[in-house]
Amino acid sequence: MARRVENNSTQTVAIVGGGLGGTLCALFFAKHGIKVHLFELRSDIRTQKVVKGRSINMALSRRGRDALAYVNCEDMIVRNGIPMRARMLHDLKCHTTPVPYGTRPEHEVISIDRRILNELLLDEASKYPQINIHFQHKFVHWNSEEKSATFQTASGEHVDFKVDGLIGYDGCHSGVRAAMMKLDSVDFSQEYIDTNYMEFCIPAKNNEYAMAANYLHIWPRHEFMLIALPNQDKSFTTTLFLPLPIFQKITTTDELLTFFQTHFPDAISFIGRENLIETYFSSQPLPLVSIKCSPHASVDGNILLMGDAAHSMVPFYGQGMNAAFEDTLVLFEKLKENNFQLSKSFIDYDKNRRENAHAIVDLSMYNHHEMRHLVTQRSYYWRKKIDNFLYRIIPQWWIPLYTMVTFTRIPYKQCLELRKRQDNILKIFRLIGYSIIGLYALKQFAIYVIKPFAIQFIVRKILPKMVADQVV
């Protein structure tokens, strides 16, 4: 028999998932005086030496910063990160080339450790009396008639919480999503890409950064890549993205060192030979999944999926966290419009957010191709130069795709549509350019080939015949 937890508050929300997005969402509700039960499957990470799970650094940009600013946390979080102003590309000859993110000083992305960010948000949430955080609580069941959520504690006890709304911020393997799929017709798709990842660390050298600090370092190698993001302790969180069959082929120290010497020669000295070997053979390559589902809200409006539970994406646009944070901004726009009526707001949120969430999932997949391959092509640099030039002279009409996604709040779907329009405009100009070149070439051909040939033909063939006719 489950123990029931009652409350006398006007409205209470249960948020499943005490990670980044779920904790921030709890802060939003608390700011408006709404009681929140925040549930986390793990124990409190602030008390742990080592935290299991993903640790790829977060890349905080405009959408995420605006959400943090809403609860007065932006400055605190930014102070604990490192600004990255450009990509730094490493080629096979160990040469580096910086590629700025944008054209303005504020066009920078903040690199921050996932655990540090989560701990800071949990600390902030702990200050609010409206937020009750329940660690080691596993979501088990949702009773739609009684609007009651059941959780299993670390001791195995089942506890029921009667709430007005249930929000799933519980990741790509969401239990809340599974519960909603039992109640409603939900379209769901997931795709595991052909790339897995493994993390390394580039430590500080003589208490300084081993590489230039304010950059996202990338070793693009077409089918795979290595990236490194800076941390405040002067280290770099370094991630190898590699097809699983290649991971499986590297089984000895010599094979590992040969692979890195061939493809990432300078990275060996940065990571350290022994550190590289120890980390590789003590780790497992982890998969990357892309998820879409529709709708994000239950038919009755009592359940809402947000963050990775609704739109998990590969990490190559740095928008997973930012999109999850922006979800909260969109939700609270709808809550304000509907006088904080939860069910109507959840349904309105779904109508507004779903297509934009799908768009950033697609964009993240595209950027995987760009980061590992397109950045090595001349066409990439020419397009970037054209985009930046047009952005400088007509910023209200032409914004580069990366700038739209990372440094504005333009809805993701609109970013895609604007990019397609830009592509079509450039195609037209390209056709006009080819036509002008073609006409010029035809003119030159007429002047230097056809005209002399015609004169020679007249002189040699036609004029002698005309003279002969006159003589006759």
Side-chain angles (χ1 to χ4, degrees):
M1 186 70 178
R3 175 167 56 88
R4 182 175 294 279
V5 178
E6 301 285 357
N7 68 81
N8 300 316
S9 177
T10 305
Q11 282 197 114
T12 303
V13 175
I15 300 176
V16 182
L20 304 178
T23 308
L24 180 64
C25 190
L27 290 170
F28 269 65
F29 278 106
K31 178 177 178 178
H32 289 276
I34 297 172
K35 188 171 182 179
V36 181
H37 287 291
L38 178 62
F39 300 93
E40 172 54 41
L41 178 61
R42 302 169 297 176
S43 56
D44 190 343
I45 63 170
R46 293 170 294 179
T47 65
Q48 299 177 45
K49 248 189 173 182
V50 178
V51 178
K52 292 183 179 180
R54 293 181 299 169
S55 58
I56 295 174
N57 269 35
M58 301 291 96
L60 178 65
S61 55
R62 169 70 185 277
R63 298 170 197 269
R65 292 182 67 159
D66 281 4
L68 291 167
Y70 190 93
V71 290
N72 303 315
C73 289
E74 180 186 11
D75 291 342
M76 171 187 67
I77 299 302
V78 170
R79 284 197 306 270
N80 283 274
I82 301 292
M84 300 185 297
R85 301 184 180 95
R87 294 168 172 170
M88 183 68 80
L89 305 184
H90 295 245
D91 67 18
L92 286 169
K93 296 180 180 179
C94 302
H95 298 150
T96 56
T97 305
V99 182
Y101 284 128
T103 58
R104 298 179 179 177
E106 68 269 22
H107 287 172
E108 62 182 26
V109 177
I110 305 299
S111 170
I112 184 167
D113 180 89
R114 178 191 290 269
R115 175 173 179 167
I116 290 173
L117 177 53
N118 204 167
E119 289 180 347
L120 289 170
L121 290 174
L122 285 170
D123 286 342
E124 194 67 20
S126 299
K127 298 174 184 177
Y128 283 84
Q130 296 92 342
I131 300 175
N132 289 317
I133 307 177
H134 308 271
F135 293 105
Q136 294 183 292
H137 275 61
K138 179 182 179 181
F139 174 76
V140 175
H141 178 68
W142 170 252
N143 186 323
S144 57
E145 292 181 1
E146 295 188 12
K147 296 175 73 171
S148 175
T150 302
F151 293 83
Q152 181 180 334
T153 68
S155 64
E157 179 187 15
H158 282 70
V159 186
D160 290 340
F161 290 80
K162 191 170 176 58
V163 294
D164 298 289
L166 175 67
I167 296 177
Y169 250 117
D170 51 338
C172 59
H173 303 296
S174 169
V176 176
R177 186 181 63 230
M180 193 172 104
M181 291 174 75
K182 292 177 182 177
L183 299 172
D184 297 334
S185 298
V186 179
D187 289 329
F188 171 75
S189 66
Q190 70 176 25
E191 178 184 357
Y192 284 94
I193 66 172
D194 63 353
T195 295
N196 285 40
Y197 74 94
M198 182 180 290
E199 291 205 333
F200 301 87
C201 176
I202 294 177
K205 300 286 176 72
N206 300 319
N207 204 32
E208 292 296 335
Y209 287 102
M211 305 181 292
N214 299 114
Y215 297 91
L216 166 61
H217 291 263
I218 307 176
W219 290 257
R221 299 298 183 261
H222 304 293
E223 294 303 315
F224 48 84
M225 65 178 171
L226 186 72
I227 69 169
L229 288 84
N231 298 307
Q232 284 204 328
D233 65 359
K234 308 295 179 68
S235 69
F236 286 86
T237 299
T238 309
T239 311
L240 173 63
F241 295 97
L242 195 65
L244 184 58
I246 300 180
F247 270 121
Q248 293 171 336
K249 285 181 181 178
I250 302 173
T251 59
T252 68
T253 297
D254 287 343
E255 289 171 343
L256 175 63
L257 293 175
T258 298
F259 177 80
F260 265 77
Q261 189 61 53
T262 302
H263 299 290
F264 314 115
D266 54 340
I268 297 177
S269 62
F270 293 140
I271 298 172
R273 185 177 182 277
E274 297 306 317
N275 186 20
L276 173 65
I277 294 168
E278 181 183 352
T279 302
Y280 185 88
F281 290 107
S282 64
S283 305
Q284 288 293 326
L286 300 174
L288 293 168
V289 66
S290 181
I291 286 175
K292 295 178 184 176
C293 75
S294 177
H296 293 174
S298 60
V299 171
D300 58 15
N302 291 328
I303 303 176
L304 182 63
L305 304 176
M306 301 178 75
D308 282 353
H311 49 74
S312 183
M313 64 200 73
V314 292
F316 304 109
Y317 227 120
Q319 284 297 301
M321 176 192 67
N322 291 291
F325 282 5
E326 190 181 47
D327 286 350
T328 57
L329 287 171
V330 177
L331 173 60
F332 275 77
E333 288 170 6
K334 299 306 171 187
L335 283 165
K336 290 173 184 176
E337 289 173 10
N338 295 299
N339 197 27
F340 284 83
Q341 183 184 342
L342 293 178
S343 59
K344 190 171 190 319
S345 300
F346 285 6
I347 292 170
D348 285 355
Y349 165 90
D350 172 56
K351 292 175 182 176
N352 177 277
R353 189 61 172 166
R354 191 193 316 167
E355 288 187 336
N356 288 307
H358 291 177
I360 188 55
V361 170
D362 293 337
L363 279 165
S364 297
M365 194 69 79
Y366 163 79
N367 219 46
H368 180 211
H369 179 60
E370 176 175 303
M371 286 179 69
R372 67 180 180 173
H373 172 67
L374 292 183
V375 292
T376 67
Q377 306 298 302
R378 285 177 183 255
S379 57
Y380 169 81
Y381 291 96
W382 278 110
R383 176 59 189 265
K384 196 165 183 65
K385 286 179 183 295
I386 291 169
D387 281 338
N388 288 342
F389 172 74
L390 293 173
Y391 181 49
R392 284 191 187 97
I393 61 174
I394 46 172
Q396 68 275 26
W397 293 103
W398 194 283
I399 307 175
L401 176 62
Y402 190 88
T403 300
M404 283 190 281
V405 171
T406 309
F407 303 119
T408 78
R409 288 284 314 286
I410 297 172
Y412 290 121
K413 186 185 177 194
Q414 190 178 344
C415 292
L416 266 178
E417 292 168 347
L418 289 170
R419 173 66 172 207
K420 288 176 182 176
R421 188 181 73 179
Q422 292 171 357
D423 289 344
N424 290 332
I425 291 171
L426 290 180
K427 282 179 184 177
I428 292 170
F429 277 106
R430 194 180 299 124
L431 285 172
I432 292 172
Y434 289 156
S435 299
I436 292 172
I437 292 171
L439 289 172
Y440 178 77
L442 187 61
K443 178 184 175 183
Q444 297 302 104
F445 181 77
I447 292 172
Y448 293 105
V449 178
I450 296 177
K451 184 177 177 181
F453 176 81
I455 292 171
Q456 286 183 5
F457 182 78
I458 291 170
V459 170
R460 292 181 180 180
K461 299 290 184 182
I462 297 178
L463 284 180
K465 191 170 188 272
M466 290 176 62
V467 170
D469 289 343
Q470 289 295 324
V471 170
V472 173

